[in-house]
Amino acid sequence: MPWKVLIADDDPNVREIIRLYFRQQLIELIEAPDGVSALTILAEVKPDIVILDVMMPGLDGYETCREITKRYEDVPVIMLTAKNDEFDRVLGLELGADDYMTKPFSPRELVARIKAIFRRMQKGQPIIEVDAPVQYEFEDLVIHVARREVLAGSTKIDMRPKEFELLAFFAKSPGDVFTREQLLEQVWGYDFLGDMRTVDVHIKKLRERLSPCHHVCIHTVWGVGYKFEVAACT
């Protein structure tokens, strides 16, 4: 089945370049000139992935990304930015974007990044092994692997796919310390094209999600990486 990709960008030249290349790759492209139009289209036709330009009139890419991740947790988002600034990249990731690209970019690389995201999704979850426990239980935290549910006490915590996979990976090896490189390799996969900051952003979001838990479960090991400390949850 062909992929269905929604792009929101107010530059018709950018959309045309992507449209022509996507046509060669047999990828269906749905175009929106701004964020408001993108949200309207998204409500009518659910695409497989959304590409958002940051600088758009009216509702910019950040606000559009915020709305998309709030309403459609399973739709991945790639941000396009003309700014080669770490703040812009990190902000997009903090709002729930799965990846980002800096303009000017190659349509071929864009397709490669889309394929990488779909490949990770289609693999299932590389962190969940066949003989892995059905769920991980701690005093006030339950991670149900098969149902992809997280409970902090009686509160169900909604998580985006990569946040859940990161938490489940940590819970599988409590007490072990992982570097950012190891987390990128094990949770995102060898083909992930992001940078180390991606891990830090997801750790921050994960800690925010787990705020209903009475204890901090994910700890920073300075100079090394992160660990899931069981003792902090029991």
Side-chain angles (χ1 to χ4, degrees):
M1 296 294 293
W3 297 332
K4 187 181 299 182
V5 179
L6 169 62
I7 180 170
D9 194 313
D10 61 326
D11 188 337
N13 294 322
V14 171
R15 299 201 309 269
E16 181 179 11
I17 291 172
I18 295 175
R19 184 195 318 124
L20 294 175
Y21 188 78
F22 276 22
R23 185 178 301 164
Q24 296 175 5
Q25 302 298 314
L26 302 181
I27 300 173
E28 181 181 351
L29 185 67
I30 305 171
E31 301 177 42
D34 52 59
V36 174
S37 301
L39 292 176
T40 300
I41 294 172
L42 198 57
E44 299 172 351
V45 181
K46 186 176 179 181
D48 297 300
I49 193 167
V50 178
I51 303 170
L52 295 175
D53 180 39
V54 169
M55 302 300 293
M56 292 188 292
L59 200 65
D60 65 18
Y62 295 131
E63 290 302 318
T64 306
C65 180
R66 191 196 305 275
E67 289 301 314
I68 291 175
T69 55
K70 185 191 304 180
R71 304 179 194 179
Y72 311 95
E73 293 192 350
D74 59 339
V75 177
V77 175
I78 295 178
M79 304 290 292
L80 302 179
T81 174
K83 301 179 181 179
N84 190 16
D85 190 305
E86 182 184 27
F87 173 79
D88 295 295
R89 301 197 303 268
V90 171
L91 178 57
L93 292 170
E94 287 182 337
L95 292 175
D98 297 86
D99 203 350
Y100 59 84
M101 293 187 67
T102 302
K103 293 182 178 180
F105 60 89
S106 162
R108 182 176 180 180
E109 182 184 355
L110 177 59
V111 171
R113 291 185 182 238
I114 293 174
K115 287 181 178 179
I117 291 176
F118 287 160
R119 192 154 51 240
R120 294 197 302 271
M121 296 171 65
Q122 291 169 356
K123 282 180 181 176
Q125 293 70 47
I127 58 166
I128 300 175
E129 301 168 358
V130 175
D131 58 349
V134 174
Q135 65 184 35
Y136 300 101
E137 295 186 34
F138 307 99
E139 183 175 324
D140 60 346
L141 181 67
V142 177
I143 305 167
H144 198 292
V145 179
R147 294 204 302 259
R148 300 179 68 84
E149 290 181 353
V150 179
L151 296 174
S154 59
T155 302
K156 182 179 177 180
I157 301 176
D158 293 324
M159 291 189 176
R160 291 184 62 78
K162 197 53 60 182
E163 294 167 355
F164 177 86
E165 293 165 23
L166 181 59
L167 177 61
F169 178 77
F170 273 127
K172 183 176 67 173
S173 305
D176 289 356
V177 179
F178 297 97
T179 65
R180 293 171 177 80
E181 291 85 353
Q182 289 173 320
L183 292 173
L184 278 174
E185 176 182 318
Q186 296 298 321
V187 180
W188 276 263
Y190 288 101
D191 53 12
F192 182 68
L193 299 173
D195 57 24
M196 299 303 157
R197 197 77 172 95
T198 299
V199 175
D200 297 334
V201 171
H202 279 78
I203 291 290
K204 178 182 177 182
K205 295 296 292 184
L206 195 52
R207 285 170 170 163
E208 292 174 357
R209 302 280 194 193
L210 294 174
S211 59
C213 193
H214 295 309
H215 307 281
V216 176
C217 302
I218 299 177
H219 298 265
T220 300
V221 180
W222 297 108
V224 183
Y226 300 97
K227 70 175 179 178
F228 179 90
E229 186 60 68
V230 177
C233 296
T234 58

